[in-house]
Amino acid sequence: MAAANPFQDQARFQRRVKPCALVIFGANGDLTKRKLIPALYQLALERRLPPGFAVIGNSRTHISDDEFREKMRQSVQKYLEDSRFEEEVWRDFASGLSYVSGDLNDPVCYQTIASRLGELDRERQFGGNVLFYLSTQPSHYGAAIGGLGAAGLANGGGWRRLVVEKPFGHDIASSRMLHDTLHKAFREDQVYRIDHYLGKETVQNILAFRFGNGIFEPLWNRRYISHIQITAAESIGVEGRGAYYQEAGALRDMIQNHLLQIMATIAMEPPAVFESAAVRDERAKLLRSIRVMKADDVATHAVSGQYGPANVGGQELAGFRGEPGVDPEAQTDTYAAVTFFVDNWRWAGVPFYIRSGKRMPKRVTDIAIQFNSAPHALFTGDTHDSAPWARPNLLILRVQPEEGISLRFLSKHPGSGMRLRPVSMDFKYGSSFGVRSPSAYETLLVDALMGDATLYTRQDMVEASWQVVQPILDFWAGRKFDFPNYAAGSWGPKESDDMLALRGHAWRTP
Amino acid sequence: MTATIRPEKILRELDELWVSLGKQENGETSTGVLRACAMTLLVATEGTHDEADVGETLASLMRDHPSRAIVLRLLDGAAPDLKARVLAQCWMPFGSRQQICCEQIEIGMTEPSLADVPPVLWSLTAPDLPVAMWCRSRRLLALPRFAPLVGLASKIIIDSAGVADLGDQLGLINTIRIQGPRVGDLAWTRLTRWRESIAQIFDNPVYLARLSALDHVRVGWEGEHVPMSALYLSAWINHCLGRNVPASFHREGSCERARVQSVALTGDNLNVSITVGQDRAMELHAGVRDAHSVFPSLTDYQLLREELSILGRDAIYESVLALVPQSAQSLETPL
């Protein structure tokens, strides 16, 4: 075992990355420009990257190292959030940036990368530790993985890891194919499947909230919780991604991955230790406990929607079928709502309502835990604007945009008589911790570079998620929907409200 | 002696302040005021010259560590005199519709009235929350009548930068620790970036393997006298290595406040150095590799932000404190 660094101070120092290099495939793409390089620069600014850290960018475009550095500099200046651009820091960071052009189907591309890595390792001493990042179209994953394996890059002097971006297939069969492809070159412990939702501070805070406090966990079960609503709404439409989105849809794009991961985090059992394998085992166990619907159940447990044109605040918004690149007859779900049940002792009979949609009234992601009403309505004589016993206690975990936690409870309205009014107790990240929250990509990049897979998904989790959405996809594929069925700027189709009304529930207005 | 201020009156004024803020914010577009408090922060200072600086620091600090801030200001005067006022520090987080406010109480006191202050503070500290004190005045700490106030806090934060008599300062720190509270020193906090940069170099196994060869530490400083931070740095290296590495201290420039300017760790096949220039640009040299960064001058707010986030035991600092006299032996005048 390697000797430990005696200069460590865990109370004061930030988590740091040890010497290594990063190779980004798809370095000319949007993700690299908007997220990866700004996140890496931010880490350099906070001195969390090791001296000698190197990044090799790869794509088919022929550009020089200097041109690549200049492009990345412009990206950092444009997309860096909440921080200043420091010329000195950039110069040092940019000295580690280089570029290798090449086609992912061409073996020469990988030989060139291998040779560049060797040169850089001699110069910058990162001990052969390399993280490969697939930031390409999923259709190129196979070529890249095969190329890395054939060139011997999946194993080397130090550690080798691979980050893969979603989608991890478009159904169970294709996700298994991707898995097989990955394993031709990499072991499972080398593969980091990124779900950037899990990197968000507030999603991580769910674990802190549940397992760091003693007061909520005893209530966290079917006895006290009526139902749970998870909402991920976007106010924007497909924003030029129409061609991609019409093949994906909300169920595949959001629910199968991000929202089921959130649901697993909300509902999983406490792990014995806070270690990657233990946390991921519990998440996976929960995902496997979600009831898989029979075809007959889908009509009453899942709703598909697609937005139509509307005038919002004087602005004419096109319907999905009117977006550029979208088939005018597209059957794509731009809205999906599903009622899931978890078949275990803790959650038996508790509905988990999950919805996600585009062109909703606002951008919001939150989780609402609706507690049961008091068992006996003591204050039924109340004449306040609406009966308080109809509004049981509600705990809201806000993921974005105003990250925080609210607990709603009833309080006596001042004055004579017993009039009750709901009040809210608020915790806001922004007010309790003035420090900047790291972006999801900063968190996840540091984790992958440090070998911490806690916030990454695993193949068994991916498969379990596909398992629960596959019957819905199959059922919807065999139907012709009468789309559009909700107007842009609204909270989705009426059928979605009807789905909750079946159990006497209603969607919250976030 | 009788206190001329009554805590109940101050608490009532605070309540009225919240009601008034709530009313101001109760318009149609507002969602009210959020009251935030995670600790009591006592600020002990002298005179009125630093009112603006302290106010500005507290206003910034409230965003990171929402507190009930109580500023204890020692004023001139031979007669017992105490006076108090309450105010709120409010801000509107970007993109939010709700104003967040923290309470601030200012207590003016003369030296003869010091003994009346502890009972007032017993009533005013926020219940069930930690109490920290930022003491800006060495003279106050040395006053016997101030000792009961020191005992109220679980952590006392001082700043040894600018202190010429380091032996006396170490004595003061030990006296505080004997009274119970933990001590935080902003001179130590300023070293975090230096220490982190050194640690980062030895994350590399190549340098880590050479660490046993380290046989000399050279600390460069600027100012009129050796700063406490220079001794802390040398003592920290000894603490980390578990052995006494000979150190030398060299004056490299002059500035108003003494501070560390460079550090070099040398030995057989080991040559690591960090130097900060006048423009606060940092140059790190490790073997064949150079790296550059920036060590901007940190404000009291930034230093306190870090120090207040460690209210428990800082085991490393406590060990370093014990090793400082040993490190000081190579000074021209040991402590």
Side-chain angles (χ1 to χ4, degrees), chain B residues 192-238:
Chain B
T192 300
R193 289 165 313 160
W194 290 85
R195 296 191 299 121
E196 204 169 17
S197 299
I198 292 171
Q200 203 167 35
I201 294 167
F202 292 97
D203 279 340
N204 190 325
V206 175
Y207 296 108
L208 187 60
R210 296 176 192 165
L211 196 52
S212 57
L214 174 64
D215 58 19
H216 187 251
V217 175
R218 181 193 191 280
V219 182
W221 53 274
E222 58 176 7
E224 295 307 309
H225 44 77
V226 182
M228 182 69 96
S229 49
L231 296 183
Y232 280 154
L233 192 53
S234 155
W236 172 67
I237 291 167
N238 289 344

Side-chain angles (χ1 to χ4, degrees), chain A residues 438-476:
Chain A
S439 72
Y441 276 95
E442 285 169 49
T443 304
L444 293 167
L445 276 168
V446 166
D447 282 358
L449 291 167
M450 294 182 75
D452 180 352
T454 310
L455 300 176
Y456 284 83
T457 55
R458 216 168 47 186
Q459 178 60 21
D460 56 342
M461 295 150 89
V462 172
E463 276 197 34
S465 305
W466 278 119
Q467 204 84 42
V468 295
V469 301
Q470 193 66 53
I472 307 171
L473 289 170
D474 293 344
F475 183 79
W476 287 356

Side-chain angles (χ1 to χ4, degrees), chain B residues 52-299:
Chain B
D53 286 349
V54 169
E56 203 175 301
T57 302
L58 286 178
S60 305
L61 209 50
M62 290 301 150
R63 290 160 170 77
D64 304 80
H65 299 284
S67 321
R68 175 176 286 180
I70 305 176
V71 180
L72 305 167
R73 196 172 289 286
L74 185 66
L75 304 169
D76 291 335
D81 187 21
L82 276 177
K83 51 189 174 188
R85 67 181 179 121
V86 297
L87 59 146
Q89 294 272 12
C90 298
W91 71 96
M92 184 82 82
F94 180 74
S96 169
R97 286 175 299 153
Q98 193 172 41
Q99 192 168 224
I100 297 164
C101 294
C102 296
E103 342 170 285
Q104 189 173 321
I105 301 166
E106 291 251 3
I107 295 178
M109 59 203 183
T110 55
E111 207 175 313
S113 66
L114 270 178
D116 296 326
V117 178
V120 174
L121 290 186
W122 290 331
S123 309
L124 293 183
T125 51
D128 306 315
L129 292 171
V131 179
M133 179 190 283
W134 173 30
C135 189
R136 293 169 54 86
S137 159
R138 290 189 78 233
R139 189 169 80 91
L140 269 174
L141 279 177
L143 291 174
R145 282 180 182 174
F146 194 73
L149 291 171
V150 170
L152 272 174
S154 54
K155 179 165 186 172
I156 306 285
I157 300 168
I158 56 166
D159 191 353
S160 298
V163 175
D165 189 339
L166 300 184
D168 189 47
Q169 184 71 358
L170 275 182
L172 182 68
I173 291 173
N174 285 328
T175 307
I176 297 170
R177 294 177 68 204
I178 289 165
Q179 291 175 63
R182 302 184 193 289
V183 173
D185 187 346
L186 300 186
W188 168 251
T189 324
R190 284 186 192 90
L191 287 179
T192 300
R193 289 165 313 160
W194 290 85
R195 296 191 299 121
E196 204 169 17
S197 299
I198 292 171
Q200 203 167 35
I201 294 167
F202 292 97
D203 279 340
N204 190 325
V206 175
Y207 296 108
L208 187 60
R210 296 176 192 165
L211 196 52
S212 57
L214 174 64
D215 58 19
H216 187 251
V217 175
R218 181 193 191 280
V219 182
W221 53 274
E222 58 176 7
E224 295 307 309
H225 44 77
V226 182
M228 182 69 96
S229 49
L231 296 183
Y232 280 154
L233 192 53
S234 155
W236 172 67
I237 291 167
N238 289 344
H239 159 76
C240 293
L241 298 183
R243 63 189 168 97
N244 187 22
V245 181
S248 59
F249 302 91
H250 303 265
R251 187 175 182 210
E252 292 178 344
S254 60
C255 73
E256 202 181 322
R257 258 194 162 182
R259 61 186 177 192
V260 171
Q261 185 80 4
S262 68
V263 60
L265 281 67
T266 52
D268 187 25
N269 207 16
L270 178 71
N271 187 1
V272 163
S273 67
I274 299 172
T275 307
V276 172
Q278 288 304 318
D279 53 358
R280 309 305 294 159
M282 182 276 270
E283 192 176 317
L284 182 151
H285 175 78
V288 293
R289 277 218 35 76
D290 285 335
H292 299 86
S293 184
V294 181
F295 273 13
S297 292
L298 297 178
T299 61

Side-chain angles (χ1 to χ4, degrees), chain A residues 175-193:
Chain A
S175 89
R176 285 180 182 150
M177 272 172 62
L178 173 63
H179 173 73
D180 293 343
T181 308
L182 283 165
H183 282 244
K184 280 180 188 157
F186 292 89
R187 298 184 310 274
E188 180 63 22
D189 67 300
Q190 291 179 287
V191 179
Y192 288 68
R193 295 175 188 80

Side-chain angles (χ1 to χ4, degrees), chain A residues 312-328:
Chain A
V312 178
Q315 191 193 355
E316 288 293 339
L317 298 176
F320 177 68
R321 290 171 173 176
E323 299 272 11
V326 174
D327 175 358

